[in-house]
Amino acid sequence: MDDKRNPKIEPYKGPAGGWGSLKSVGSILAREKAPLRTARELMRQNKADGFMCVSCAWAKPADSHPFEFCENGAKATAWEMTSEETGPEFFAAHTLTELLGWSDHELEQHGRLTHPMRYDRAADKYVPCEWSEAFAAIGAELKQLDPKSTIFYASGRASLETSYMYALFARLYGHNNLPDSSNMCHETTGTALKKSVGSPVGTVTLEDFDKTDCVFFFGQNVGSNSPRMLHSLQKLSQRGVPIITFNPLRERGLESFKNPQNPVQMLGGKATRISSQYHQVKAGGDIAAIMGICKALFALDDKAASQNQQGVLDQSFIAEHTHGFEEFAACVRAQEWDAIESASGLKRAALEEAARVYAQSHAAIGIYGMGLTQHHFGEHNLHMIANLLLLRGNVGKPGAGLCPVRGHSNVQGQRTVGIADDPKLVPLDRLAEQYGFDPPREPGLKTVQVCEGVLNGTVHAFIGLGGNFLRAVPDGPRVEKAWRGLRLTVQIATKLNRSHLINGEVAYLLPCLGRIDLDVQNGKPQAVSTEDSTSCIHGSFGKHKPISEHLLSEPRIVAEMAKATLAPNPKVPWDEWVADYSKVRDAIEQTYPEQFKDFNKRMFTPGGFHRPNAARHRQWKTETGKANFIAPPGLSATGFEDAPGRLRLVTLRSNGQFNTTVYSNDDRFRGVYDTRMIVFMNAADIAHFHLRDGQEITLVSDAGDDVHREVRGLRVVSYDIPQGCIGGYYPECNALIPYWHHAQESKTPAAKSVPVRIVA
Ligand SMILES: Nc1nc2c(c(=O)[nH]1)N[C@H]1C(S)=C(S)[C@@H](COP(=O)(O)OP(=O)(O)OC[C@H]3O[C@@H](n4cnc5c(=O)[nH]c(N)nc54)[C@H](O)[C@@H]3O)O[C@H]1N2
Ligand SMILES: Nc1nc2c(c(=O)[nH]1)N[C@H]1C(S)=C(S)[C@@H](COP(=O)(O)OP(=O)(O)OC[C@H]3O[C@@H](n4cnc5c(=O)[nH]c(N)nc54)[C@H](O)[C@@H]3O)O[C@H]1N2
Ligand SMILES: [Mo]
């Protein structure tokens, strides 16, 4: 599907940011043919009176820069503000079968969706329809179906207002099948941190970055995926704060950064180093790496005790605030260095050096991303970070804590206001009282369970509020095949993607306003709100003139579907909510009074308003009432044995994509140009498998079930990656991941250690 006109691979020597980043923004603005308008809008990005970036969820400071955006935020804005259209004429000219041959890039690049469309199966085309027709048909179908067989999916972009309404619609209709992109992402954070410290989200805010004196940085590619965070990291580095990084790849943004907003740095000044220690851990080797640091800390503590000096473990914190220390200590002491070295791929001396620096710090932060959450033992990766921090009292004090870097701009917020397959996370009793109904109590389906349900025929309908489900999930090709057996599929979207091309019997493609677009209801411009990675809530005002008069807002679409499906309930004022979104915020405040106190008044607070987090104050909402040390069952996070010929495939994002949205086939920081069909491989492995650099190979799944999964036409690229591990791009490699290969409890697909074999 990918065209490889002129593939080029050459190491990138520059820093992250810098001129390369400005050049890249410029070329995107030009391509979208809206340079001036877009440039004006960019100045409003992430400002208290502006709109919140549609790209990542990193915190927005109160004292914003003149340009509070990054290369990739600018790309995302331009992508949404394009003047190119994908409307009825386009669909009249192409069958969906033909469009299935287009690449992810070509489909979205064609422009914004402009008109509601119905799928005509006989013609294999989308045909224009009226909104009223679409809502009536969707309502009629949903009334016929068993609610428990229907799925209301959400990708993490929709606002708090839309999300609250959507989740309420699902429960009034009769199910908790509310999977969201978080199920493929930081779900592991929710399950693991809840057990470790009683909070399903991170515990730090931006202020803690000003106070910390030691940072651990695990498995997150800041230069591409949350570049605004580089400003915080640059400040840390300039203050001399050590940043100790663990990543199988040497990611450019974790090595050095030139701030495009700093003229002195740009005109010849030196780039700032980001990481002070860089440990190229094996994929799935972090449990072992952290175990090694813990072991070294215990040794330092023993030594201090033998010399009658103050120990390095925070004994008073451990005694007062934690549970399970003795078992954990026993586990750490029982580990052999040989085993730690072989499971982590790191040397004992390197881990001792990390421990030495940590032991000298007063307040440490543990940052992490998909490199830890997307493994079979992903939960234990996170328990280990928590264990490491708890040993020195680094949760619930200024400058210290856990910092998951969330993905989508409102993925954390969606969960906060009720998009959750786990009903335990939702105040159902309060909803029952507020809206006079009996909410469903049984757990809903997570993303991989939806895949399973589609494969075994128990799922009958899918509504997608954003996202590109079929391309983002594991085992994509298998799920695609079964997908046409669904009765109803509805996709609410801004741009065309592959998931819109494979449809159920009755299918609608509904175009919506994006967050940057002006949203006028009842004659008045409306604002929406989002929650960032640090639990701060921000208002957001779109001002851009919508590309078509036929677009509806997401709250309106949700309300109309609900009205067409449900019996009228005077306690649920769908129309009033749509006419004035501040009324939805009042309803949210009523359901979550502690979290959203004075919501409407505070939503435009510069820097956002912070949602209370008990763990920040050392109140532990766990079963033991304490912060828990949790020992891992083993040293590897992969969940499978090593075997001759078996490799660990890490699926990666490039610098030229936002999830399945592929802006370009370049990955500047990794030195890859004009192709995505490659496999990064250690030179020794290339030799071992008798391959040569540039050779085309096929990857096949080595997961041990009898399903054949393969991806052909991948080019071997010699790369600095640990032996036994290989890297390939997501979503191109998703066909290799069995849907059942996921984190144990969160069921997050284990996309960072997939067992595969090479066929030359
Ligand atoms: N421009 C851009 N921004 C984005 C996105 C995007 O696609 N493009 N996506 C958004 C979303 S939804 C999300 S969830 C985030 C994702 O942002 P990240 O959390 O950064 O996710 P990935 O890019 O998948 O890569 C994770 C990093 O983990 C490393 N890694 C892989 N396996 C391991 C391991 O076993 N151990 C360790 N220590 N490291 C490992 C990889 O080398 C890579 O550097 O970004 C968000 N922001
Ligand atoms: N192998 C592998 N698979 C992965 C991952 C991985 O690292 N490796 N990462 C996983 C992760 S972390 C995630 S989050 C998923 C996400 O993967 P995706 O489903 O790709 O997520 P999105 O970026 O939300 O989807 C993009 C689509 O959302 C629509 N859209 C954009 N803006 C809006 C809007 O404002 N409203 C609406 N209604 N629609 C909009 C557009 O039509 C666009 O085509 O992929 C997961 N899959
Ligand atoms: Mo994500």
Side-chain angles (χ1 to χ4, degrees), residues 12 14-26 71 258-260 262-269 668-669:
Y12 180 75
W19 291 112
S21 147
L22 283 188
K23 192 171 133 209
S24 170
V25 171
E71 168 183 350
K258 254 193 189 184
N259 188 343
N262 177 334
V264 178
Q265 265 206 333
M266 292 297 282
L267 295 172
R668 197 171 83 249
F669 296 149

mmCIF file of all heavy atoms in Angstrom, residues 12 14-26 71 258-260 262-269 668-669:
data_model
loop_
_atom_site.group_PDB
_atom_site.id
_atom_site.type_symbol
_atom_site.label_atom_id
_atom_site.label_comp_id
_atom_site.label_asym_id
_atom_site.label_seq_id
_atom_site.Cartn_x
_atom_site.Cartn_y
_atom_site.Cartn_z
ATOM 1 N N TYR A 12 20.306 10.954 11.304
ATOM 2 C CA TYR A 12 20.006 12.363 11.546
ATOM 3 C C TYR A 12 20.940 12.871 12.623
ATOM 4 O O TYR A 12 20.973 12.339 13.733
ATOM 5 C CB TYR A 12 18.554 12.490 11.985
ATOM 6 C CG TYR A 12 18.110 13.900 12.278
ATOM 7 C CD1 TYR A 12 17.854 14.794 11.240
ATOM 8 C CD2 TYR A 12 17.942 14.345 13.585
ATOM 9 C CE1 TYR A 12 17.446 16.098 11.500
ATOM 10 C CE2 TYR A 12 17.523 15.640 13.857
ATOM 11 C CZ TYR A 12 17.284 16.513 12.815
ATOM 12 O OH TYR A 12 16.869 17.786 13.080
ATOM 13 N N GLY A 14 21.226 16.255 13.586
ATOM 14 C CA GLY A 14 20.801 17.478 14.263
ATOM 15 C C GLY A 14 20.077 17.180 15.562
ATOM 16 O O GLY A 14 19.779 16.030 15.869
ATOM 17 N N PRO A 15 19.770 18.233 16.332
ATOM 18 C CA PRO A 15 18.996 18.047 17.553
ATOM 19 C C PRO A 15 17.514 17.938 17.206
ATOM 20 O O PRO A 15 17.125 18.198 16.058
ATOM 21 C CB PRO A 15 19.250 19.347 18.313
ATOM 22 C CG PRO A 15 19.467 20.363 17.222
ATOM 23 C CD PRO A 15 20.122 19.632 16.081
ATOM 24 N N ALA A 16 16.685 17.561 18.178
ATOM 25 C CA ALA A 16 15.247 17.702 17.991
ATOM 26 C C ALA A 16 14.937 19.190 18.038
ATOM 27 O O ALA A 16 15.689 19.957 18.623
ATOM 28 C CB ALA A 16 14.509 16.962 19.098
ATOM 29 N N GLY A 17 13.817 19.610 17.442
ATOM 30 C CA GLY A 17 13.537 21.048 17.335
ATOM 31 C C GLY A 17 14.417 21.615 16.232
ATOM 32 O O GLY A 17 14.615 21.004 15.193
ATOM 33 N N GLY A 18 15.005 22.792 16.469
ATOM 34 C CA GLY A 18 15.948 23.378 15.522
ATOM 35 C C GLY A 18 15.315 23.743 14.184
ATOM 36 O O GLY A 18 14.103 23.755 14.024
ATOM 37 N N TRP A 19 16.182 24.041 13.203
ATOM 38 C CA TRP A 19 15.683 24.491 11.894
ATOM 39 C C TRP A 19 14.881 23.402 11.183
ATOM 40 O O TRP A 19 13.937 23.684 10.463
ATOM 41 C CB TRP A 19 16.842 24.937 10.998
ATOM 42 C CG TRP A 19 17.485 26.204 11.475
ATOM 43 C CD1 TRP A 19 18.737 26.349 11.979
ATOM 44 C CD2 TRP A 19 16.887 27.505 11.514
ATOM 45 N NE1 TRP A 19 18.963 27.655 12.338
ATOM 46 C CE2 TRP A 19 17.847 28.398 12.057
ATOM 47 C CE3 TRP A 19 15.640 28.013 11.155
ATOM 48 C CZ2 TRP A 19 17.602 29.750 12.255
ATOM 49 C CZ3 TRP A 19 15.386 29.365 11.331
ATOM 50 C CH2 TRP A 19 16.353 30.216 11.876
ATOM 51 N N GLY A 20 15.269 22.149 11.387
ATOM 52 C CA GLY A 20 14.547 21.060 10.737
ATOM 53 C C GLY A 20 13.069 21.114 11.099
ATOM 54 O O GLY A 20 12.192 20.897 10.271
ATOM 55 N N SER A 21 12.788 21.444 12.344
ATOM 56 C CA SER A 21 11.419 21.486 12.817
ATOM 57 C C SER A 21 10.652 22.644 12.180
ATOM 58 O O SER A 21 9.522 22.506 11.729
ATOM 59 C CB SER A 21 11.466 21.567 14.341
ATOM 60 O OG SER A 21 10.428 22.311 14.848
ATOM 61 N N LEU A 22 11.300 23.845 12.087
ATOM 62 C CA LEU A 22 10.629 24.982 11.456
ATOM 63 C C LEU A 22 10.361 24.717 9.983
ATOM 64 O O LEU A 22 9.295 25.024 9.460
ATOM 65 C CB LEU A 22 11.481 26.246 11.602
ATOM 66 C CG LEU A 22 11.452 26.908 12.983
ATOM 67 C CD1 LEU A 22 12.175 28.238 12.934
ATOM 68 C CD2 LEU A 22 10.013 27.116 13.450
ATOM 69 N N LYS A 23 11.332 24.099 9.315
ATOM 70 C CA LYS A 23 11.195 23.804 7.895
ATOM 71 C C LYS A 23 10.015 22.848 7.676
ATOM 72 O O LYS A 23 9.195 23.028 6.787
ATOM 73 C CB LYS A 23 12.497 23.167 7.399
ATOM 74 C CG LYS A 23 12.611 23.079 5.902
ATOM 75 C CD LYS A 23 14.030 22.650 5.518
ATOM 76 C CE LYS A 23 13.944 21.544 4.481
ATOM 77 N NZ LYS A 23 15.073 20.631 4.522
ATOM 78 N N SER A 24 9.944 21.861 8.544
ATOM 79 C CA SER A 24 8.895 20.866 8.429
ATOM 80 C C SER A 24 7.515 21.499 8.619
ATOM 81 O O SER A 24 6.568 21.191 7.901
ATOM 82 C CB SER A 24 9.172 19.774 9.468
ATOM 83 O OG SER A 24 8.107 18.903 9.577
ATOM 84 N N VAL A 25 7.375 22.437 9.575
ATOM 85 C CA VAL A 25 6.098 23.124 9.782
ATOM 86 C C VAL A 25 5.733 23.904 8.526
ATOM 87 O O VAL A 25 4.613 23.840 8.024
ATOM 88 C CB VAL A 25 6.170 24.094 10.994
ATOM 89 C CG1 VAL A 25 4.918 24.956 11.057
ATOM 90 C CG2 VAL A 25 6.340 23.310 12.280
ATOM 91 N N GLY A 26 6.721 24.650 7.981
ATOM 92 C CA GLY A 26 6.479 25.465 6.790
ATOM 93 C C GLY A 26 5.959 24.646 5.624
ATOM 94 O O GLY A 26 4.993 25.027 4.961
ATOM 95 N N GLU A 71 6.286 21.496 16.423
ATOM 96 C CA GLU A 71 6.241 21.031 15.035
ATOM 97 C C GLU A 71 5.010 20.146 14.801
ATOM 98 O O GLU A 71 4.258 20.340 13.861
ATOM 99 C CB GLU A 71 7.530 20.260 14.741
ATOM 100 C CG GLU A 71 7.500 19.488 13.452
ATOM 101 C CD GLU A 71 8.786 18.679 13.231
ATOM 102 O OE1 GLU A 71 9.759 18.873 13.978
ATOM 103 O OE2 GLU A 71 8.795 17.859 12.299
ATOM 104 N N LYS A 258 17.177 21.779 20.293
ATOM 105 C CA LYS A 258 17.352 23.212 20.052
ATOM 106 C C LYS A 258 15.973 23.829 20.048
ATOM 107 O O LYS A 258 15.105 23.408 19.285
ATOM 108 C CB LYS A 258 17.992 23.446 18.678
ATOM 109 C CG LYS A 258 19.433 23.847 18.741
ATOM 110 C CD LYS A 258 19.904 24.366 17.389
ATOM 111 C CE LYS A 258 21.406 24.544 17.446
ATOM 112 N NZ LYS A 258 21.943 25.137 16.225
ATOM 113 N N ASN A 259 15.754 24.809 20.870
ATOM 114 C CA ASN A 259 14.430 25.395 21.005
ATOM 115 C C ASN A 259 14.140 26.330 19.841
ATOM 116 O O ASN A 259 14.761 27.382 19.728
ATOM 117 C CB ASN A 259 14.373 26.155 22.337
ATOM 118 C CG ASN A 259 12.975 26.625 22.656
ATOM 119 O OD1 ASN A 259 12.125 26.662 21.769
ATOM 120 N ND2 ASN A 259 12.749 26.971 23.898
ATOM 121 N N PRO A 260 13.161 25.980 18.976
ATOM 122 C CA PRO A 260 12.896 26.840 17.823
ATOM 123 C C PRO A 260 12.376 28.210 18.258
ATOM 124 O O PRO A 260 12.270 29.111 17.456
ATOM 125 C CB PRO A 260 11.829 26.088 17.019
ATOM 126 C CG PRO A 260 11.544 24.836 17.730
ATOM 127 C CD PRO A 260 12.281 24.823 19.036
ATOM 128 N N ASN A 262 13.811 30.006 20.583
ATOM 129 C CA ASN A 262 14.899 30.744 21.202
ATOM 130 C C ASN A 262 15.897 31.171 20.121
ATOM 131 O O ASN A 262 16.667 30.380 19.608
ATOM 132 C CB ASN A 262 15.574 29.828 22.234
ATOM 133 C CG ASN A 262 16.782 30.490 22.880
ATOM 134 O OD1 ASN A 262 17.418 31.362 22.302
ATOM 135 N ND2 ASN A 262 17.091 30.051 24.088
ATOM 136 N N PRO A 263 15.877 32.491 19.749
ATOM 137 C CA PRO A 263 16.688 32.963 18.622
ATOM 138 C C PRO A 263 18.181 32.690 18.823
ATOM 139 O O PRO A 263 18.883 32.361 17.873
ATOM 140 C CB PRO A 263 16.432 34.470 18.588
ATOM 141 C CG PRO A 263 15.353 34.763 19.554
ATOM 142 C CD PRO A 263 15.091 33.543 20.381
ATOM 143 N N VAL A 264 18.668 32.817 20.068
ATOM 144 C CA VAL A 264 20.103 32.625 20.299
ATOM 145 C C VAL A 264 20.498 31.179 19.992
ATOM 146 O O VAL A 264 21.474 30.910 19.298
ATOM 147 C CB VAL A 264 20.470 32.981 21.757
ATOM 148 C CG1 VAL A 264 21.963 32.740 21.991
ATOM 149 C CG2 VAL A 264 20.113 34.436 22.041
ATOM 150 N N GLN A 265 19.673 30.243 20.492
ATOM 151 C CA GLN A 265 19.985 28.839 20.218
ATOM 152 C C GLN A 265 19.898 28.532 18.733
ATOM 153 O O GLN A 265 20.687 27.772 18.196
ATOM 154 C CB GLN A 265 19.001 27.934 20.970
ATOM 155 C CG GLN A 265 19.535 27.467 22.296
ATOM 156 C CD GLN A 265 18.905 26.152 22.712
ATOM 157 O OE1 GLN A 265 17.785 25.835 22.332
ATOM 158 N NE2 GLN A 265 19.633 25.388 23.502
ATOM 159 N N MET A 266 18.905 29.149 18.074
ATOM 160 C CA MET A 266 18.700 28.843 16.665
ATOM 161 C C MET A 266 19.844 29.379 15.828
ATOM 162 O O MET A 266 20.260 28.774 14.848
ATOM 163 C CB MET A 266 17.374 29.424 16.172
ATOM 164 C CG MET A 266 16.161 28.753 16.766
ATOM 165 S SD MET A 266 16.050 27.014 16.311
ATOM 166 C CE MET A 266 15.419 27.176 14.645
ATOM 167 N N LEU A 267 20.373 30.567 16.199
ATOM 168 C CA LEU A 267 21.448 31.154 15.403
ATOM 169 C C LEU A 267 22.798 30.683 15.934
ATOM 170 O O LEU A 267 23.577 31.443 16.488
ATOM 171 C CB LEU A 267 21.366 32.688 15.436
ATOM 172 C CG LEU A 267 20.110 33.249 14.763
ATOM 173 C CD1 LEU A 267 19.983 34.746 14.992
ATOM 174 C CD2 LEU A 267 20.106 32.940 13.271
ATOM 175 N N GLY A 268 23.011 29.397 15.839
ATOM 176 C CA GLY A 268 24.353 28.897 16.115
ATOM 177 C C GLY A 268 24.596 28.488 17.555
ATOM 178 O O GLY A 268 25.598 27.859 17.855
ATOM 179 N N GLY A 269 23.667 28.841 18.468
ATOM 180 C CA GLY A 269 23.864 28.423 19.855
ATOM 181 C C GLY A 269 23.913 26.910 19.937
ATOM 182 O O GLY A 269 23.564 26.204 19.004
ATOM 183 N N ARG A 668 12.139 12.013 10.239
ATOM 184 C CA ARG A 668 13.386 12.787 10.211
ATOM 185 C C ARG A 668 14.354 12.392 11.329
ATOM 186 O O ARG A 668 15.540 12.193 11.092
ATOM 187 C CB ARG A 668 13.042 14.281 10.323
ATOM 188 C CG ARG A 668 14.155 15.193 9.918
ATOM 189 C CD ARG A 668 13.695 16.639 9.842
ATOM 190 N NE ARG A 668 13.699 17.310 11.127
ATOM 191 C CZ ARG A 668 12.617 17.689 11.789
ATOM 192 N NH1 ARG A 668 11.432 17.459 11.294
ATOM 193 N NH2 ARG A 668 12.718 18.312 12.938
ATOM 194 N N PHE A 669 13.845 12.278 12.546
ATOM 195 C CA PHE A 669 14.759 12.039 13.667
ATOM 196 C C PHE A 669 15.437 10.675 13.590
ATOM 197 O O PHE A 669 16.472 10.457 14.189
ATOM 198 C CB PHE A 669 14.025 12.164 15.001
ATOM 199 C CG PHE A 669 13.494 13.538 15.256
ATOM 200 C CD1 PHE A 669 12.333 13.720 15.990
ATOM 201 C CD2 PHE A 669 14.151 14.651 14.770
ATOM 202 C CE1 PHE A 669 11.844 14.996 16.228
ATOM 203 C CE2 PHE A 669 13.672 15.932 15.004
ATOM 204 C CZ PHE A 669 12.505 16.109 15.738
#
